[in-house]
């Protein structure tokens, strides 16, 4: 596989009649790109990279090897800088999870809300793609809420409000 050369992806610039088989780094502006694996991007380019607002759609995948039914791929709609997610954006993941908030260097960073497929949610601060700083996690199944400080994805200090409305300090 390493010796095989992947076909180039196709880029169609706004107002252009035909797609090109590669990205000219000297061009900037709006374009739509289609990649050999089925991924697609539509948005702004500058210096050969995604810059500004854009929407990236990952290719659909099959639920399992034996299943013919495809499920939609993940999507991201929001800001880019130097080819990476940056600023505000909305990511919808293949598993049904969703994140809306701040991004930095392709990672969740700053204030954001994550809605998990099981109905749980976290609204608060992120750093390096993990919960970090002040935030609130709501557990749907047990109807409890933790509000407090997080460090590197772990609860470190705060208040648990349990389903019976009693509270526990951590």
């Amino acid at each position: 596989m390493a010796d095989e050369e992947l076909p180039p992806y196709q880029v169609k610039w706004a107002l252009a009649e035909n797609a090109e088989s590669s990205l000219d780094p000297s061009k900037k502006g709006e374009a739509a790109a289609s990649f050999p694996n089925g991924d697609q991007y539509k948005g702004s380019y500058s210096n050969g990279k995604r810059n500004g607002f854009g929407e990236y759609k990952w290719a659909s995948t099959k639920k399992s090897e034996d299943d013919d039914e495809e499920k939609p791929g993940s999507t991201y709609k929001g800001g880019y800088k130097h080819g990476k997610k940056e600023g505000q954006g909305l990511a919808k993941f293949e598993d049904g999870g969703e994140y809306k908030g701040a991004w930095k260097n392709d990672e969740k960073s700053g204030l954001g809300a994550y809605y998990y497929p099981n109905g749980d949610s976290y609204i608060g601060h992120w750093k390096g793609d993990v919960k970090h700083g002040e935030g609130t996690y709501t557990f749907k199944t047990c109807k409890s809420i933790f509000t407090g400080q997080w460090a590197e994805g772990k609860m470190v200090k705060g208040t648990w409000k349990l389903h019976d409305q009693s509270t526990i300090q951590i």
Side-chain angles (χ1 to χ4, degrees):
M1 181 78 175
D3 293 344
E4 294 178 32
E5 189 174 315
L6 290 174
Y9 61 94
Q10 298 290 308
V11 178
K12 184 170 186 310
W13 293 94
L15 305 177
E17 286 188 35
N18 299 312
E20 301 173 10
S21 62
S22 65
L23 185 62
D24 180 349
S26 67
K27 287 188 177 179
K28 66 190 273 186
E30 298 296 309
S34 299
F35 300 91
N37 66 355
D39 290 359
Q40 297 178 348
Y41 172 76
K42 184 175 182 179
S44 297
Y45 277 98
S46 179
N47 297 319
K49 297 187 184 245
R50 296 184 288 274
N51 272 298
F53 184 82
E55 183 173 359
Y56 196 101
K57 294 180 180 182
W58 282 264
S60 300
T61 59
K62 289 186 178 180
K63 291 182 180 179
S64 71
E65 297 262 336
D66 301 327
D67 195 352
D68 290 332
E69 186 180 336
E70 287 190 356
K71 60 181 178 177
S74 300
T75 63
Y76 172 76
K77 186 185 285 189
Y80 281 94
K81 184 176 180 182
H82 304 298
K84 297 181 178 183
K85 294 183 277 302
E86 186 88 17
Q88 294 297 305
L90 170 63
K92 293 183 179 184
F93 301 101
E94 193 174 280
D95 68 359
E98 184 175 301
Y99 173 77
K100 183 177 185 178
W103 295 83
K104 184 174 177 100
N105 201 30
D106 241 7
E107 297 178 326
K108 295 181 282 296
S109 188
L111 188 58
Y114 195 102
Y115 301 95
Y116 294 86
N118 68 356
D120 290 359
S121 64
Y122 172 78
I123 300 171
H125 291 270
W126 297 79
K127 182 178 178 185
D129 236 15
V130 296
K131 299 171 209 71
H132 192 87
E134 188 72 25
T136 299
Y137 193 105
T138 302
F139 298 84
K140 181 182 178 189
T141 303
C142 65
K143 297 179 176 42
S144 65
I145 300 169
F146 175 80
T147 300
Q149 291 293 316
W150 297 76
E152 298 177 358
K154 297 182 172 109
M155 299 178 246
V156 292
K157 183 179 179 183
T159 303
W160 274 97
K161 185 175 180 182
L162 305 176
H163 71 290
D164 64 2
Q165 302 305 308
S166 62
T167 59
I168 300 172
Q169 297 295 316
I170 296 179

